[in-house]
Structures are given as C-alpha cells and as structure tokens.
Amino acid sequence: MSIVENKIINLPEHVAVIMDGNGRWAKLQNKERFFGHQHGAESARVISETASKLGIKYLTLYAFSKENWNRPKDEVFGLMNLLIQGVNDNLDTINKLNIKLTTIGDYENLPENVRDAVDKSVKSTKNNSGLNLIIALNYGSRWEMINAVKNIALDVKNNKIKVEDIEDELFANYLLTKDIPDPDLLIRTSGEFRISNFLLWQLSYSELYFTSCYWPEFREEQFMAALLDYSNRERRFGKTSKQLKN
Ligand code: IPE
Ligand code: IPE
Ligand code: MG
C-alpha cells in the first residue's frame, strides 16, 4: 500500500509497458517520426523516475521488438542512437535513484555500439537495490519461448532434467525473465488493443490497461491514472469474489 495524491493505492510490484504511438504523435504535429521517438524517450525517463520514487520494484519497458527491424533503415538507426544516448545521458541519475538496469531480448544480435553503452550502464548499476528497470531490447516473446523449449529439450537429452519435471515453474526458469516476478499490470498506450509479441507467457494473469494517450504524452499524471485504475481491480486468479473476501 502507498499513499499517492491523498489516495491509498495498492501498488503493483511489476509494471510492464508497451510504449506505443510515437510516430502518430509526431505526425499530428507535422513532424518526422524521429521527433516522436525523442519525446517518447523523455516519457520513458519520466515514468522510470516516477516508478522509482513510488517504490515500484520492477518496470519493464518495451523499447524495440524483433519485428521493429522491418522498419525503414534510417528509423531503426535513429532508434538505436536514441537508446545509446538515453542510457549514457541518464546514467548518473539512474545511479542517484538507486535504479538497477538490465535488459531482456536477443542481446547478441544488437549492434556493438548499443551493447557497449548498455553493458556500461548494466555494470555500473548492478549493485543498486531500488527499482529494477528492465529494457526489452530486440525482444520477441515467441523467440524467447522457442529458446526455452530448445534448452529444455537439450537438458532432457543430457539427463539434467526429466520430462516429468516440466511444469510451470521449470518452464519459467528457462525464460529470460526467470528472476523477475510476472507483471501485475501491463500498460499499452496509443489506443491499440494488442500485445505485439510481448511477454506472452508472463502476462497470463496480468491486469491490462489500454489508453488512447500516445506515448510521448504519457507522463506522471497518466501513469498515476493507470495505477489508480489498477488498484481498484479485483484479481481473482480463478477464484470467486466471495472466496477472496473470506
Ligand atoms: C513506439 O511508437 C516506439 C517503437 C515501437 C520503437 P511507434 O514508432 O510504434 O509509433 P506509431 O505506432 O507508429 O504511432
Ligand atoms: C510494439 O510497438 C513494440 C514496441 C513498443 C517496442 P509496435 O508499434 O512495433 O507494435 P505493432 O507492430 O504496431 O503491433
Ligand atoms: Mg507503434
């Protein structure tokens, strides 16, 4: 429980965000898509800082999907440079806020300059004990699950595990999120109602929050609205409402 703007709210432990709508926001003001990505990067900074100050333990931001490689080359290039700039420029603040930065995704197949910048920040923040900020970078949920299946198959073949051992917990331990609790709340901006290959296994019981707000305009006020909405939900996990109240 936490007191936010005089309201007692049940904070989610883990918030995951599909940051969407940068391009459409830019288009609305007759600007290039990159202008939208720049303002989107500022939203990511504001939301991370707010989450940290509220005492949220995990924040996962979907920054670049495996499918995003299909965008025009100059847009991909611009996004990669923004990422590098984002981690470099904010490293001091991240450390001051005691935030620990990690990533999930196909890391090996990212450009070397992106990996160098991210590696530096991950290393520098690894002992921080506040917010765990997880950037989903070159991430795809089907890719992640197929890798898990391949590794499970190998471990069965090498007699490290038995087929009978394969259940929920074991499977989750083969995912990139193995040390991270499942998201309690998923936020998607920009009025799209889809998951876009994000955390398909992990979102099984998450509360979903969709807003028409474009990501560059999603700031503290909009985040609070999402958190308040979440805090009024009843999570039943298959049970009845009456059972939960008893
Ligand atoms: C989200 O905004 C940023 C990324 C996917 C990297 P978009 O770039 O998808 O913006 P729209 O959806 O085209 O408006
Ligand atoms: C999802 O947004 C990926 C990220 C936010 C990084 P997209 O804009 O790529 O999603 P789709 O393809 O429109 O579903
Ligand atoms: Mg989009």
Side-chain angles (χ1 to χ4, degrees):
M1 292 286 214
S2 162
I3 297 176
V4 177
E5 288 174 350
N6 300 324
K7 294 187 180 87
I8 296 177
I9 71 163
N10 229 338
L11 275 182
E13 185 185 19
H14 182 178
V15 180
V17 188
I18 302 177
M19 311 184 287
D20 197 15
N22 294 351
R24 279 163 286 162
W25 180 81
K27 196 174 177 200
L28 269 182
Q29 32 230 315
N30 292 316
K31 296 273 187 3
E32 297 292 319
R33 292 178 61 83
F34 186 68
F35 181 73
H37 293 318
Q38 286 176 308
H39 281 257
E42 177 59 13
S43 293
R45 193 194 64 72
V46 170
I47 298 310
S48 304
E49 195 167 325
T50 308
S52 151
K53 287 183 174 156
L54 287 172
I56 289 171
K57 283 308 293 176
Y58 299 86
L59 176 67
T60 302
L61 300 178
Y62 202 5
F64 194 85
S65 72
K66 281 198 148 278
E67 290 75 22
N68 287 148
W69 290 111
N70 297 321
R71 292 189 178 196
K73 270 203 173 67
D74 60 338
E75 180 167 350
V76 171
F77 183 76
L79 282 167
M80 293 297 156
N81 282 334
L82 261 185
L83 266 160
I84 296 173
Q85 199 190 327
V87 289
N88 285 340
D89 291 357
N90 293 304
L91 186 55
D92 285 346
T93 318
I94 293 176
N95 271 318
K96 265 191 211 113
L97 291 168
N98 196 21
I99 295 174
K100 180 175 174 175
L101 186 87
T102 53
T103 65
I104 50 169
D106 185 0
Y107 198 69
E108 297 311 310
N109 286 310
L110 279 164
E112 200 179 339
N113 56 350
V114 175
R115 276 184 285 138
D116 287 347
V118 173
D119 282 348
K120 189 173 136 218
S121 301
V122 168
K123 214 170 147 193
S124 150
T125 65
K126 75 174 194 307
N127 295 321
N128 291 348
S129 56
L131 172 72
N132 288 280
L133 177 58
I134 302 139
I135 312 290
L137 208 46
N138 197 13
Y139 177 84
S141 191
R142 288 184 173 181
W143 167 85
E144 180 190 30
M145 287 200 273
I146 284 167
N147 271 341
V149 171
K150 284 180 184 164
N151 288 327
I152 290 171
L154 275 177
D155 283 353
V156 170
K157 193 171 138 197
N158 295 329
N159 295 317
K160 287 193 187 152
I161 54 170
K162 296 196 211 68
V163 169
E164 308 83 83
D165 296 336
I166 303 171
E167 33 67 30
D168 274 30
E169 202 182 323
L170 181 137
F171 186 79
N173 276 330
Y174 281 80
L175 296 172
L176 296 170
T177 50
K178 67 178 160 59
D179 299 317
I180 305 167
D182 288 341
D184 301 295
L185 170 65
L186 170 80
I187 298 171
R188 183 171 190 147
T189 58
S190 88
E192 305 292 4
F193 296 94
R194 55 177 177 263
I195 302 295
S196 304
N197 200 12
F198 190 43
L199 303 173
L200 301 178
W201 168 274
Q202 297 87 339
L203 291 172
S204 295
Y205 253 110
S206 306
E207 294 297 323
L208 309 181
Y209 179 87
F210 296 99
T211 169
S212 59
C213 177
Y214 290 134
W215 179 249
E217 285 184 351
F218 192 89
R219 299 287 163 95
E220 192 168 332
E221 185 190 333
Q222 290 75 17
F223 189 34
M224 289 305 178
L227 294 175
L228 269 178
D229 190 284
Y230 168 83
S231 77
N232 290 320
R233 309 254 184 121
E234 184 181 62
R235 304 182 72 189
R236 291 190 285 277
F237 298 99
K239 294 184 177 174
T240 68
S241 195
K242 196 174 160 198
Q243 280 178 301
L244 294 173
K245 273 157 194 141
N246 283 338

